[in-house]
Amino acid sequence: MNTEKAYYLAKVPFFADLTPREIEEIAVDFQWETYPKGELILEQGQKPASFYVLCEGLVEVQNKNGERSPASVKTVGSGSVFGELSVLMGKPFQETLLCMEKCRVLSITAADFARILLERPLIYLSIIGQLSETLDEANQLLSETKYREVLRSAIKLTQYQDKFYGIWGSVKTTKEVERKYEEIQHHPGHLLIKGERGTGRQMIAWYLHKNLFGEIAPFVLVDGLRFDHQWGSLKTDKIEINNSEESSSSQLPYAKLFEIAAGGTLFIQEIDRISPATQIELARTIKAQPYPCFVIGSIQIEPRVREEGLLPELHKCFTHLHYITPLRERKRDIPILVQGILEKLAQKNHRKTPVVTAEATQLLLSHHYRQGNVTELIQVLERSFFLASQDTIGLEQIFFGPTSEKVGQKVNLLRWSFIEQILKNGNFLRVIRQIAAVLFLFLIGGLIFASHLPGMLKAFALVWGLWWPVITLISPSLGRIWCAVCPFSTIMDFVQNKFHPHRPVPDFIVKYDYLIVTVLFLAIFWIEIVTQMHTNPLFTGLLLLVMQLAAIVVSVLYPRHAWCRHFCPLGGFIGTASIGSLLEVRSDPAVCLNKCTTFECYVGKGEVKGCPMSQHLPYLDNNLDCKLCFNCVQNCPHGSVQVNLRVPAREVWNLTRVNQGYAVFMGVLLGILFPINYFEPLQPSGLLSQLHISFSIAYFSFAVLGGALGWWFARPFKTKAASLRTKLVFALTPLVIAGHIIYQLNFVPGLQSLVLGAGYQGPGGFQSFCISASTAAKGSALGIGILLASVTIIFVLLRHKRRKSNN
Ligand SMILES: Nc1ncnc2c1ncn2[C@@H]1O[C@H](COP(=O)(O)OP(=O)(O)OP(=O)(O)O)[C@@H](O)[C@H]1O
């Protein structure tokens, strides 16, 4: 997308001096707009909020109140630019733009354009150059004045009225800033602010500026990292200074910068990133004070301390120092900041201020803010605010930490238009879901009430001999593809359309869902075994009915597919297996975070609901939480969602956000492999054996042992980022799945019997010459499981080592 934009932007004359990379960077801020034939893009007298680049189509430019005399009308095509100066000068537009045919334009808002101009003064020079050409202003001095005028207007546009709301925090935090203000008021000088990213260095600079000089005075923000590149062109300035003894008659290289900031503040962000030579020149200029202004420099103190690059010559210019403590070391400020941020958001969006649940507050407090301190908190809360449909923000709406990474090779299946059409249209999947739901209801009815019919016996054999084994086999390869058509969900959707539940899922369910899934899975599996359910159609039918009823109850109580996400034992098993799958749904976090403000993937659009698993796509990095419903493919207006074929199990070594509690479930699944494979096939005899005492003791003991080991190894489940230990537990997925395939193979002979027309006969069919085919299949499954688990573990360790050495 940005490449296409960059292609058109590269044709704009005043971007001509930019490198292709710079053009790609600025392209992010431009948006596509389409106008039909006959529509006005801009009208004379209108104050344009954006400037436009015409990419496709023809536009008639009328410059005298819509008169159509040849002199006042011209037709322009692709590559023309409109409104750049009006935007900068804040003046009404001089012409009317009428589309002669369907037009596609790229637009950028005034504030974004001004920011780009401030970051890249080279673009100014080009604009000014063109301005003098078009206006035929022979006098270069005029363009110099214009230059400053344009620059100042751009600065005004980027002033901070909207950005900073005020300084929130505990009394200690606000007092510190107040004290600094008084100190500077009484002893004027320059200020150096030290702190991590997002701690509010810029905000404090603006606060001091506003109180010392007022909002109208210029507040010029300059980035130290690009200082030489961006402001190097001003070095040619020759300003003779006579008011300072030391620098009398010397030439000051950056005097023009000070002239722009005169009477206000020059804020140099990351001042220590300026090259040493320039730092010395800057120190000279600050000392000489060619134009009086308040200079504030900021230095980033990273979590892992970077060597300061500020030269003593420049350091000496700052008579005041302010240190801002990182947010993680002043947690008392967090609830106050949360309240302030949410109140402002609510005010801006005309909504009630949401209440943050106790668990969610706890999560916000426990997070180790490293990425961006208050900025990180603001981003998390903004997202939660828009994701929460009710006035409550709970654990489900808080997405923390890093987004999913772009890792390795993948093939996006959506690049083939027929796949894209099928998934975007949604009708195909809808029909399959509906057929599956009807068949499923017939199956339940038949198993309970008509199992004596021969057809039903065959269907019953299919449930155990085909359905379960196939689910166990396809999940590790194609992910939760079964969930995409699961009849439980279709029936749940049907019920939810009548009830529209709104109450949020309680936090304790969100927090401990892995235990719910684990306990339900253990209980159902145990019941299946002790009741010999694979030989009993009635029990099988009842189990399916009970599960469906439970799913309905949950979906009447809670929105989305809370059953699938927090309760379904089958979903838990399939989800865990699908961690190793070939197929994934992911998005491009850069597009989601930079462009999207409406979060359709989460909240839904029109008829199509939002993510049933309450996932915000840029943060989705594991298949456990994706049931391949493809709603996000239909909902995303930015084309950010991808359906990828990838290296199997890749997510295990790249996991960041998986529900770590599932390590307990993994442990349990691993633990029960021994009892289910060795005890269950033994045929019970006698009353006590009927209760499978020895099996049950072994089953639950191994389950508890496995679960406890999983918990112990992967703990603590404190943050959302997956630790190495969690990844190692998930790396055992192939082994777990192999074990369960081995168990399921016991039922496959039932299918064989069915095909042969003999009806279901239980385990023990399929013999070959030397060893039984089932023994061979089980041996192979075990071998493959061990091999794949070992390879995955090696990858996890290698990747971890690489990450560590990169850091
Ligand atoms: N104490 C605070 N009260 C209210 N808002 C705050 C506070 N501290 C920081 N913020 C907000 O956090 C955001 C980041 O602040 P600011 O831009 O000043 O950070 P910074 O330290 O300059 O880092 P960066 O270079 O990442 O911008 C701003 O939106 C600011 O309003």
Side-chain angles (χ1 to χ4, degrees):
M1 283 300 271
N2 284 342
T3 321
E4 190 192 1
K5 287 183 194 171
Y7 167 78
Y8 288 109
L9 294 179
K11 294 181 179 178
V12 174
F14 48 79
F15 295 148
D17 292 332
L18 301 184
T19 63
R21 179 138 179 244
E22 283 177 316
I23 292 190
E24 287 250 358
E25 277 171 22
I26 64 167
V28 177
D29 291 307
F30 282 82
Q31 307 299 330
W32 282 112
E33 286 181 26
T34 308
Y35 293 86
K37 181 179 173 186
E39 189 152 312
L40 294 181
I41 300 177
L42 274 175
E43 229 174 329
Q44 194 175 43
Q46 187 183 329
K47 212 171 159 185
S50 305
F51 111 71
Y52 303 88
V53 177
L54 177 63
C55 301
E56 288 165 20
L58 281 179
V59 164
E60 186 178 273
V61 185
Q62 308 163 352
N63 57 16
K64 280 206 183 138
N65 295 325
E67 267 177 36
R68 297 183 58 84
S69 68
S72 64
V73 175
K74 65 178 178 200
T75 305
V76 294
S78 166
S80 309
V81 179
F82 312 107
E84 74 280 19
L85 284 173
S86 309
V87 154
L88 283 174
M89 312 297 277
K91 288 184 179 159
F93 198 61
Q94 301 293 310
E95 297 151 327
T96 294
L97 305 176
L98 173 73
C99 295
M100 305 296 288
E101 53 189 51
K102 184 179 166 194
C103 292
R104 262 179 104 209
V105 300
L106 279 171
S107 72
I108 183 167
T109 62
D112 282 341
F113 185 46
R115 185 174 43 73
I116 287 178
L117 289 182
L118 275 179
E119 285 169 7
R120 296 178 168 81
L122 262 185
I123 303 176
Y124 278 126
L125 298 178
S126 302
I127 294 182
I128 299 308
Q130 278 177 32
L131 185 78
S132 16
E133 266 173 39
T134 41
L135 297 180
D136 199 16
E137 288 170 325
N139 188 346
Q140 191 57 31
L141 274 177
L142 181 60
S143 79
E144 279 282 315
T145 322
K146 274 261 184 269
Y147 176 88
R148 263 187 296 270
E149 209 180 306
V150 170
L151 204 52
R152 274 184 180 254
S153 349
I155 288 160
K156 236 187 247 158
L157 276 168
T158 48
Q159 298 278 40
Y160 292 90
Q161 285 90 331
D162 287 340
K163 189 174 174 196
F164 302 125
Y165 306 131
I167 295 181
W168 297 309
S170 59
V171 179
K172 184 171 175 274
T173 306
T174 47
K175 270 265 153 28
E176 272 172 12
V177 182
E178 278 304 320
R179 232 175 282 136
K180 193 54 58 185
Y181 164 65
E182 276 163 26
E183 192 184 302
I184 295 167
Q185 208 186 16
H186 292 119
H187 306 282
H190 303 299
L191 170 70
L192 185 67
I193 304 180
K194 293 186 176 189
E196 284 180 16
R197 289 210 64 180
T199 42
R201 296 166 304 162
Q202 226 184 97
M203 179 195 65
I204 289 174
W206 170 250
Y207 174 84
L208 296 173
H209 162 83
K210 202 171 71 169
N211 286 302
L212 289 168
F213 311 107
E215 283 186 8
I216 314 285
F219 180 82
V220 180
L221 186 147
V222 177
D223 186 351
L225 199 60
R226 305 192 197 174
F227 191 92
D228 295 69
H229 175 64
Q230 288 171 355
W231 300 93
S233 55
L234 298 186
K235 255 176 81 174
T236 49
D237 226 19
K238 310 277 186 223
I239 291 200
E240 304 271 322
I241 296 293
N242 298 313
N243 59 355
S244 145
E245 261 177 41
E246 195 189 325
S247 55
S248 131
S249 292
S250 68
Q251 290 177 346
L252 289 171
Y254 290 100
K256 193 180 267 177
L257 190 55
F258 284 73
E259 186 191 352
I260 295 163
T265 304
L266 173 62
F267 175 44
I268 309 176
Q269 223 173 4
E270 323 300 1
I271 194 167
D272 55 335
R273 308 300 282 269
I274 299 177
S275 71
T278 309
Q279 282 193 35
I280 290 175
E281 289 177 341
L282 197 63
R284 267 180 62 209
T285 320
I286 293 177
K287 258 199 205 154
Q289 283 275 18
Y291 300 94
C293 67
F294 176 37
V295 183
I296 306 180
S298 77
I299 288 187
Q300 201 186 115
I301 305 199
E302 288 173 359
R304 257 170 265 118
V305 182
R306 181 166 54 83
E307 212 174 288
E308 267 182 35
L310 192 63
L311 295 183
E313 287 85 342
L314 189 54
H315 201 293
K316 266 194 273 171
C317 300
F318 297 102
T319 40
H320 300 280
L321 180 75
H322 185 64
Y323 172 73
I324 314 178
T325 320
L327 188 58
R328 59 182 175 280
E329 287 167 24
R330 49 177 166 111
K331 300 233 162 168
R332 275 181 195 197
D333 286 358
I334 293 176
I336 303 166
L337 280 163
V338 169
Q339 189 59 23
I341 295 163
L342 289 177
E343 271 171 17
K344 281 291 165 191
L345 280 169
Q347 219 175 50
K348 227 172 162 178
N349 293 282
H350 312 290
R351 269 175 56 179
K352 246 174 92 181
T353 309
V355 175
V356 184
T357 64
E359 287 288 355
T361 308
Q362 199 49 46
L363 179 63
L364 291 169
L365 280 168
S366 63
H367 183 68
H368 198 65
Y369 297 86
R370 261 176 187 264
Q371 281 183 22
N373 290 282
V374 184
T375 311
E376 193 181 352
L377 180 66
I378 293 176
Q379 283 166 356
V380 169
L381 288 172
E382 275 181 354
R383 201 170 310 116
S384 317
F385 179 83
F386 291 110
L387 299 186
S389 55
Q390 290 302 292
D391 299 322
T392 309
I393 292 180
L395 285 180
E396 284 223 306
Q397 285 83 36
I398 295 189
F399 291 88
F400 251 130
T403 52
S404 58
E405 284 183 50
K406 269 191 187 170
V407 276
Q409 292 300 314
K410 60 198 171 192
V411 180
N412 183 2
L413 298 179
L414 297 181
R415 69 157 70 153
W416 287 289
S417 58
F418 75 97
I419 298 183
E420 190 187 13
Q421 270 166 18
I422 289 175
L423 297 183
K424 277 205 165 152
N425 178 294
N427 283 337
F428 178 70
L429 271 177
R430 199 169 309 126
V431 171
I432 295 186
R433 280 179 196 138
Q434 284 166 358
I435 293 173
V438 172
L439 288 178
F440 182 68
L441 289 176
F442 272 116
L443 179 74
I444 294 181
L447 289 176
I448 296 176
F449 300 110
S451 59
H452 54 282
L453 298 177
M456 245 10 263
L457 201 64
K458 288 193 175 190
F460 173 61
L462 276 177
V463 171
W464 290 101
L466 186 67
W467 187 10
W468 296 131
V470 164
I471 287 182
T472 314
L473 273 173
I474 61 166
S475 307
S477 39
L478 292 178
R480 296 183 74 158
I481 199 91
W482 162 253
C483 299
V485 293
C486 172
F488 288 131
S489 322
T490 312
I491 296 167
M492 266 158 42
D493 270 338
F494 180 76
V495 174
Q496 271 189 340
N497 287 342
K498 303 263 171 290
F499 287 91
H500 306 290
H502 279 304
R503 91 184 70 185
V505 180
D507 282 344
F508 75 90
I509 293 182
V510 178
K511 205 169 165 192
Y512 298 112
D513 59 359
Y514 62 93
L515 286 181
I516 300 174
V517 170
T518 307
V519 169
L520 285 179
F521 184 89
L522 264 183
I524 291 173
F525 213 53
W526 180 75
I527 292 170
E528 272 176 30
I529 292 171
V530 294
T531 60
Q532 298 281 305
M533 204 175 273
H534 53 276
T535 61
N536 192 325
L538 175 66
F539 284 179
T540 305
L542 285 176
L543 173 69
L544 294 177
L545 180 67
V546 169
M547 280 177 68
Q548 181 64 72
L549 289 177
I552 289 175
V553 171
V554 172
S555 55
V556 168
L557 288 174
Y558 306 119
R560 302 179 189 251
H561 291 179
W563 167 260
C564 309
R565 171 119 199 254
H566 304 297
F567 296 87
C568 182
L570 185 58
F573 177 74
I574 297 177
T576 317
S578 66
I579 282 179
S581 88
L582 272 173
L583 197 65
E584 65 175 19
V585 171
R586 298 289 185 271
S587 71
D588 181 347
V591 175
C592 300
L593 300 183
N594 291 325
K595 265 183 153 186
C596 184
T597 50
T598 40
F599 315 125
E600 276 97 342
C601 61
Y602 187 97
V603 294
K605 190 170 69 182
E607 290 283 283
V608 188
K609 293 180 178 168
C611 177
M613 303 292 277
S614 305
Q615 292 301 311
H616 188 212
L617 260 280
Y619 290 90
L620 179 69
D621 76 344
N622 66 85
N623 286 354
L624 184 65
D625 294 327
C626 173
K627 50 185 282 191
L628 298 178
C629 64
F630 303 112
N631 283 9
C632 49
V633 178
Q634 293 181 59
N635 284 333
C636 178
H638 307 290
S640 166
V641 182
Q642 304 161 357
V643 180
N644 297 322
L645 281 183
R646 60 168 196 189
V647 174
R650 185 177 65 198
E651 73 190 47
V652 178
W653 51 90
N654 292 309
L655 276 181
T656 48
R657 306 182 46 80
V658 73
N659 184 342
Q660 296 179 49
Y662 270 80
V664 174
F665 187 52
M666 286 286 296
V668 168
L669 289 178
L670 206 59
I672 60 173
L673 283 179
F674 174 68
I676 63 170
N677 280 303
Y678 289 92
F679 280 72
E680 198 269 331
L682 304 175
Q683 293 300 309
S685 64
L687 188 64
L688 272 186
S689 323
Q690 284 293 340
L691 293 174
H692 294 259
I693 298 282
S694 53
F695 165 73
S696 302
I697 293 174
Y699 178 83
F700 286 109
S701 310
F702 275 90
V704 171
L705 186 69
L709 278 176
W711 171 83
W712 173 80
F713 194 76
R715 80 194 194 294
F717 309 144
K718 262 187 186 162
T719 59
K720 289 223 162 185
S723 63
L724 171 67
R725 287 158 157 261
T726 310
K727 289 177 188 171
L728 286 173
V729 175
F730 280 106
L732 296 175
T733 311
L735 193 60
V736 171
I737 300 307
H740 283 265
I741 288 174
I742 291 170
Y743 175 72
Q744 295 294 343
L745 281 171
N746 291 323
F747 307 109
V748 175
L751 177 69
Q752 188 203 34
S753 309
L754 172 83
V755 175
L756 296 174
Y760 181 71
Q761 287 175 357
F766 229 143
Q767 298 291 320
S768 72
F769 291 113
C770 312
I771 51 164
S772 77
S774 74
T775 310
K778 287 175 182 180
S780 320
L782 184 64
I784 294 173
I786 293 175
L787 183 73
L788 290 180
S790 316
V791 171
T792 315
I793 289 173
I794 291 171
F795 268 96
V796 168
L797 292 172
L798 286 178
R799 177 82 192 185
H800 180 74
K801 207 171 151 200
R802 212 168 77 196
R803 276 219 180 118
K804 258 183 117 178
S805 58
N806 282 351
N807 288 341

